[in-house]
Amino acid sequence: MAGERTFRSGDDVGVLARLRERVDDVARRSPARLTLMVFASVIAVVTALLSLPIATASGDRAPFADALFTATSAVCVTGLVTVDTAVYWSTFGQAVILIGIQIGGLGVMTLASILGLAVSRRIGLTQKLLAAAETKTTRLGEVGSLVRVVLVTIAVLESALFVVLLPKYLLLGLSPGTAIWHAAFQSVSIFNNAGFIIEVGGLGAYVGDWWMNLPIIVGGFVGALGFPAILSIAGSWRRPRHWSLHAKLTLATSTVLYVVGTVVIGAMEWANPRSFGALPVADRILAALLAGGTPRSSGFSTVDIGTMSEATWLVQDALMFVGGGSASTAGGIKVTTFAVMVLAILAESRGDPDIEAFGRRIAPGVLRVAIAVAFVGATMVGAGTLALLVLTDLHLDVVLFEVISAFATCGLSTGITPTLPDSAKYVLVALMFAGRIGTMTLAAALALRDRRRVIRLPEERPTIG
Amino acid sequence: MAGERTFRSGDDVGVLARLRERVDDVARRSPARLTLMVFASVIAVVTALLSLPIATASGDRAPFADALFTATSAVCVTGLVTVDTAVYWSTFGQAVILIGIQIGGLGVMTLASILGLAVSRRIGLTQKLLAAAETKTTRLGEVGSLVRVVLVTIAVLESALFVVLLPKYLLLGLSPGTAIWHAAFQSVSIFNNAGFIIEVGGLGAYVGDWWMNLPIIVGGFVGALGFPAILSIAGSWRRPRHWSLHAKLTLATSTVLYVVGTVVIGAMEWANPRSFGALPVADRILAALLAGGTPRSSGFSTVDIGTMSEATWLVQDALMFVGGGSASTAGGIKVTTFAVMVLAILAESRGDPDIEAFGRRIAPGVLRVAIAVAFVGATMVGAGTLALLVLTDLHLDVVLFEVISAFATCGLSTGITPTLPDSAKYVLVALMFAGRIGTMTLAAALALRDRRRVIRLPEERPTIG
Ligand SMILES: [K+]
Ligand SMILES: [K+]
């Protein structure tokens, strides 16, 4: 018996060891592929849980397309929904969504931070892991402590949001248990820029409520900066000169885009009687302050996007496409990608040989990564839009909006997602997954294959433009 | 008397000399600005001529907005029209348009060739002119002979089109005089990718007519390659290995985009009963062969674009935005811009330090120019689209199409241009002008300001994507 047990136990250890070795192997060869597999697995589990009858309020089994869509939207912290989160799902279903958001946001942030640092240092995770194996945990310990810092920061910031929101929900008259549940859900949803809400009837009732809106605006902005930027800024809070170039660039671009978004959307909707025009002036200002930031990140909205003008949709399309910071809970091509391209154009127009920002020269290779990210992003959006135009009878304005919202994991909607055929829902699922995983995986894959050629070909300049 | 005459003559010479000196000065300081001034002047003259009562068929004075729009469309070889060229304008008016097209196409081609070569060699025209002044006409003679080659090539190719088309018009039953006029107008319009037609009722009647379509397809394709490419290919016709990288890249990309455009548009409209689906199979093939090429250049169309699906419009949007070859009669961001960005992404994904094509390394600075051209182009299209959405009640699908068509000087239309308010017409006028002048001026301005900084800043890599 003992011998048999030992044998079995040894066998189990063998299987586990082999599995761990397998994971290590994938991680060593391609951390990007590992991220992708982890994400797909989490989405599969959340889909399975949301497919249980107890996950819905009615007790009926959710259709597969809706379960998959909601799971992907949660884990990819998007916020697009085919069914009303507040009404369709049971508290169990909502809890599954919350956990999906937290794992999705957490996983992406920690993994993306590691990958992001790997990319930015031009040292692949492979090399890091190998180095750690050689030097016995020195460097791997570094990675481990980074993850620990990230987890602590998430806990601190989400707790802060919770503490601010809980009294609000209690004042609204909810029972303590319900208030705690709502404050917890909202805190996680805000910090992870998920855009899911469990308020029945949506946020429309809170359009003029500063207590409800400010946490969304501030929490979403901070979450959308991304961990490399947050840690750099938090690390030397009082000395902005010591912040990394990445942190400075992210904060500056995010701020400029937030101000531009707020002013432009506010101005364009100010007199629209179907949207802001129907509100008192103070509420219009708050609605603009919210609407200026959420396209780039959380996708929360107190005013129905469907009532806004097509011109505003186009501005939101642009903001969503740019998105938030690298290794953040926001999506899009990222503010640094946008900033590097703008700086490159400014440098070119001035005839400067170098791209510069904040007293630093930006390595020319960075520009190539930026173009790859932006171009591949535009191609994904184009292909997704084409697919939805073919699959539905909808027009370009609403299709482009929903496709960019999915790709940029923003979650704003003109309202078409619930009406889409399953085929179109699957296209959005693919876009959310690719948008969340894509550019980061690409960046990682690019930096990890730093193969150099020995022979350089003769140079020639084709005419451009 | 004699003294007075001499005095006056001397004064005249003085004014002329001062004017020439002034032009030389502008040319020396900024050839791009000279191009811009020349274009604006030509458009002003054509607008004035089209404003004469004899320019219209009815004898009424054309509204200023229509005269300006038509003049800009002609000189910028676009082909968008607010009024039907065949019906609204008199033969005098049509002749003015024809001359506008020829000067516009000619001027752009010769000037752009010079500027293009200046850009590609990283030697500004200023330096060339200064060098010519120093070495006494050696280099200026070079520029002069280039212009002569261009003029001869235009004459040869337009004559070839005329010879092919004249019998066609005679067979259609036109009187010799009318047939010559139609063949001449069509030849100039085709080679210059202008897209203007003087056939009453448009080209719809010729949808299955290979004799009418093939000159448009072939002539438009050659004209859209651009002079640097045409001259390089013509210079060593039998030895493709000797063609410049620019010529190879332009020809390869143009061919790939033509095949992709033809297959995709053909497939998407094949069964559309409102467009290709209503035609016999042979006609559908010819319609696809035409529709695959014209979005990138001429803007001729035998099938009403308004009857095509929105998905096809999106494909056409993409093709129009890319456009034709540098220093050609086609517009857009140019095929080399597109090719360089695709090559950069391929190089990045393979981890190659260099961007390569046809056994040559592409200078890193070229990529920066490409990004500037593409990014500024996208910004112009975005701004124009936003303006039209604000100024009209039209939807994004048709607005985006018309704006890209104007910016890319393509001239395809879903049919909204004649219905636009004057304010929106002026936006399209600005887009046509900027699209025709813009990227080229930009490229020239960029290459001419090759200021180098002595102090280089320390390098840092922000995270991208
Ligand atoms: K979101
Ligand atoms: K054209």
Side-chain angles (χ1 to χ4, degrees):
Chain A
M1 284 284 276
E4 201 185 334
R5 210 180 253 169
T6 310
F7 182 71
R8 273 194 187 163
S9 172
D11 201 18
D12 282 359
V13 168
V15 168
L16 272 176
R18 253 176 284 151
L19 184 68
R20 187 181 297 163
E21 205 167 286
R22 188 70 193 273
V23 170
D24 282 356
D25 191 49
V26 174
R28 213 175 296 125
R29 287 202 204 172
S30 172
R33 204 176 302 153
L34 185 68
T35 314
L36 196 139
M37 283 161 62
V38 168
F39 257 75
S41 308
V42 174
I43 290 171
V45 171
V46 174
T47 305
L49 291 172
L50 289 179
S51 298
L52 298 174
I54 53 161
T56 66
S58 66
D60 295 332
R61 191 178 285 276
F64 174 71
D66 293 324
L68 175 67
F69 193 98
T70 307
T72 309
S73 186
V75 175
C76 297
V77 292
T78 306
L80 281 177
V81 287
T82 55
V83 294
D84 187 343
T85 314
V87 176
Y88 186 83
W89 304 106
S90 65
T91 304
F92 171 81
Q94 292 171 354
V96 168
I97 290 170
L98 185 70
I99 293 166
I101 291 169
Q102 186 63 83
I103 293 177
L106 179 84
V108 165
M109 280 200 290
T110 49
L111 280 171
S113 294
I114 296 165
L115 293 175
L117 290 172
V119 168
S120 72
R121 287 180 187 170
R122 275 266 164 192
I123 301 167
L125 189 63
T126 311
Q127 284 91 325
K128 274 194 183 165
L129 289 168
L130 290 174
E134 280 170 21
T135 57
K136 304 285 171 208
T137 70
T138 320
R139 289 193 177 228
L140 201 62
E142 205 176 86
V143 172
S145 76
L146 176 72
V147 172
R148 216 171 304 126
V149 171
V150 166
L151 290 177
V152 169
T153 312
I154 291 173
V156 168
L157 292 173
E158 286 185 0
S159 300
L161 285 167
F162 178 81
V163 167
V164 170
L165 286 170
L166 182 59
K168 176 72 197 170
Y169 283 108
L170 289 170
L171 282 174
L172 283 172
L174 298 184
S175 70
T178 314
I180 288 173
W181 170 232
H182 274 247
F185 192 99
Q186 190 73 349
S187 302
V188 171
S189 189
I190 287 174
F191 183 74
N192 291 288
N193 273 303
F196 277 85
I197 42 166
I198 53 170
E199 318 304 319
V200 176
L203 293 175
Y206 306 102
V207 66
D209 189 332
W210 290 76
W211 196 344
M212 195 63 123
N213 279 263
L214 279 184
I216 298 179
I217 294 169
V218 177
F221 188 87
V222 173
L225 290 176
F227 262 83
I230 293 175
L231 294 182
S232 171
I233 292 168
S236 47
W237 177 244
R238 288 154 181 276
R239 291 171 301 176
R241 293 183 133 250
H242 288 76
W243 298 350
S244 68
L245 174 60
H246 175 75
K248 289 177 193 165
L249 214 50
T250 301
L251 190 62
T253 314
S254 296
T255 307
V256 168
L257 289 175
Y258 176 64
V259 172
V260 169
T262 302
V263 170
V264 172
I265 294 174
M268 287 170 72
E269 294 301 317
W270 194 261
N272 179 349
R274 298 177 63 219
S275 65
F276 292 12
L279 305 170
V281 168
D283 292 10
R284 290 186 210 184
I285 291 170
L286 183 58
L289 286 171
L290 184 77
T294 54
R296 289 196 312 103
S297 54
S298 63
F300 287 108
S301 126
T302 51
V303 175
D304 181 3
I305 303 293
T307 64
M308 295 182 179
S309 71
E310 274 194 51
T312 301
W313 291 351
L314 193 66
V315 172
Q316 289 167 326
D317 287 343
L319 289 171
M320 291 194 291
F321 187 72
V322 173
S326 292
S328 78
T329 50
I333 61 167
K334 305 296 182 300
V335 287
T336 39
T337 308
F338 176 75
V340 165
M341 291 199 299
V342 171
L343 290 170
I345 291 164
L346 290 177
E348 194 62 32
S349 70
R350 282 196 300 255
D352 290 341
D354 294 327
I355 305 173
E356 298 163 4
F358 297 106
R360 287 283 182 280
R361 191 154 43 88
I362 293 171
V366 171
L367 184 60
R368 265 173 50 172
V369 180
I371 296 150
V373 168
F375 196 93
V376 171
T379 306
M380 280 184 187
V381 167
T385 305
L386 195 60
L388 252 65
L389 286 177
V390 170
L391 293 172
T392 69
D393 288 330
L394 296 164
H395 293 293
L396 182 63
D397 42 15
V398 287
V399 165
L400 183 66
F401 192 100
E402 220 77 1
V403 163
I404 295 182
S405 182
F407 165 75
T409 69
C410 169
L412 287 179
S413 173
T414 59
I416 64 167
T417 293
T419 71
L420 293 175
D422 283 358
S423 55
K425 286 178 186 169
Y426 295 137
V427 171
L428 291 186
V429 164
L431 279 169
M432 289 190 284
F433 189 77
R436 192 75 186 126
I437 288 290
T439 50
M440 166 183 113
T441 308
L442 184 71
L446 297 179
L448 287 175
R449 299 196 54 185
D450 209 345
R451 168 163 74 80
R452 301 216 170 268
R453 283 181 57 153
V454 181
I455 303 161
R456 296 187 83 187
L457 297 165
E459 190 175 290
E460 198 171 334
R461 304 177 61 93
T463 312
I464 291 294
Chain B
M1 285 281 278
E4 200 185 334
R5 207 180 256 169
T6 309
F7 182 70
R8 275 193 182 161
S9 170
D11 202 17
D12 282 0
V13 168
V15 169
L16 270 176
R18 254 176 285 153
L19 184 69
R20 189 182 295 161
E21 206 166 283
R22 190 71 193 272
V23 170
D24 281 356
D25 191 49
V26 174
R28 213 175 297 125
R29 287 203 204 173
S30 172
R33 203 176 303 153
L34 185 69
T35 314
L36 196 138
M37 284 161 61
V38 168
F39 257 74
S41 308
V42 174
I43 290 171
V45 170
V46 173
T47 305
L49 290 173
L50 289 179
S51 298
L52 298 175
I54 52 160
T56 65
S58 66
D60 295 331
R61 193 178 285 275
F64 174 71
D66 294 322
L68 176 67
F69 193 98
T70 307
T72 310
S73 185
V75 175
C76 297
V77 291
T78 307
L80 282 177
V81 287
T82 54
V83 293
D84 186 343
T85 315
V87 176
Y88 186 82
W89 303 106
S90 66
T91 305
F92 171 80
Q94 293 170 352
V96 168
I97 291 169
L98 184 70
I99 293 165
I101 291 169
Q102 187 63 81
I103 293 176
L106 179 83
V108 166
M109 281 200 290
T110 48
L111 279 171
S113 294
I114 296 165
L115 293 176
L117 289 172
V119 169
S120 73
R121 286 181 188 171
R122 276 264 165 191
I123 302 167
L125 188 62
T126 312
Q127 284 90 327
K128 274 194 182 166
L129 288 168
L130 291 174
E134 280 170 20
T135 59
K136 307 286 171 204
T137 72
T138 318
R139 289 196 178 224
L140 202 62
E142 207 176 82
V143 173
S145 77
L146 176 71
V147 172
R148 215 171 304 126
V149 170
V150 166
L151 291 177
V152 169
T153 313
I154 292 172
V156 168
L157 291 174
E158 286 186 358
S159 301
L161 284 167
F162 178 80
V163 168
V164 169
L165 287 170
L166 182 59
K168 176 71 198 170
Y169 283 107
L170 288 170
L171 281 173
L172 283 172
L174 299 184
S175 70
T178 314
I180 288 172
W181 170 232
H182 276 245
F185 192 100
Q186 190 74 348
S187 304
V188 171
S189 187
I190 289 173
F191 183 74
N192 291 290
N193 274 302
F196 277 85
I197 43 167
I198 53 169
E199 317 305 318
V200 177
L203 292 175
Y206 307 102
V207 66
D209 189 331
W210 290 76
W211 195 345
M212 196 64 121
N213 279 266
L214 279 184
I216 297 178
I217 295 169
V218 176
F221 187 88
V222 173
L225 290 176
F227 262 82
I230 293 175
L231 294 182
S232 171
I233 292 169
S236 48
W237 176 246
R238 289 153 180 277
R239 292 171 301 175
R241 293 182 133 252
H242 288 77
W243 297 350
S244 67
L245 173 60
H246 174 76
K248 289 177 193 167
L249 214 50
T250 301
L251 191 62
T253 315
S254 297
T255 306
V256 168
L257 289 175
Y258 176 63
V259 172
V260 168
T262 303
V263 170
V264 171
I265 294 175
M268 288 171 71
E269 293 302 317
W270 195 261
N272 179 349
R274 296 178 64 220
S275 65
F276 291 13
L279 304 170
V281 169
D283 291 9
R284 290 186 209 184
I285 292 171
L286 183 58
L289 286 171
L290 183 77
T294 54
R296 289 196 313 101
S297 54
S298 63
F300 287 108
S301 130
T302 51
V303 175
D304 181 3
I305 303 292
T307 64
M308 295 182 180
S309 71
E310 274 194 51
T312 302
W313 290 352
L314 193 67
V315 172
Q316 289 166 326
D317 287 342
L319 289 171
M320 289 193 294
F321 187 71
V322 173
S326 292
S328 77
T329 50
I333 61 166
K334 305 298 182 301
V335 288
T336 38
T337 308
F338 176 75
V340 165
M341 290 199 299
V342 170
L343 291 170
I345 291 163
L346 290 178
E348 196 61 34
S349 70
R350 280 195 302 255
D352 291 340
D354 293 328
I355 304 173
E356 297 165 5
F358 297 107
R360 286 284 183 281
R361 189 154 45 87
I362 294 172
V366 171
L367 184 60
R368 265 172 51 171
V369 180
I371 295 150
V373 168
F375 197 93
V376 172
T379 306
M380 280 184 186
V381 167
T385 305
L386 195 60
L388 252 66
L389 285 177
V390 170
L391 293 172
T392 69
D393 289 329
L394 296 164
H395 293 293
L396 182 62
D397 43 13
V398 288
V399 165
L400 183 66
F401 193 100
E402 220 77 2
V403 164
I404 295 183
S405 183
F407 165 74
T409 68
C410 169
L412 286 179
S413 173
T414 60
I416 64 166
T417 293
T419 71
L420 293 175
D422 284 356
S423 56
K425 286 179 188 170
Y426 295 137
V427 171
L428 291 186
V429 164
L431 280 167
M432 289 191 284
F433 189 76
R436 191 75 185 128
I437 289 290
T439 51
M440 164 182 116
T441 308
L442 185 71
L446 298 178
L448 287 176
R449 299 197 53 185
D450 210 345
R451 168 164 73 82
R452 303 214 170 269
R453 283 181 55 155
V454 180
I455 303 160
R456 296 187 82 188
L457 297 166
E459 190 175 290
E460 197 171 335
R461 307 177 59 92
T463 312
I464 291 293

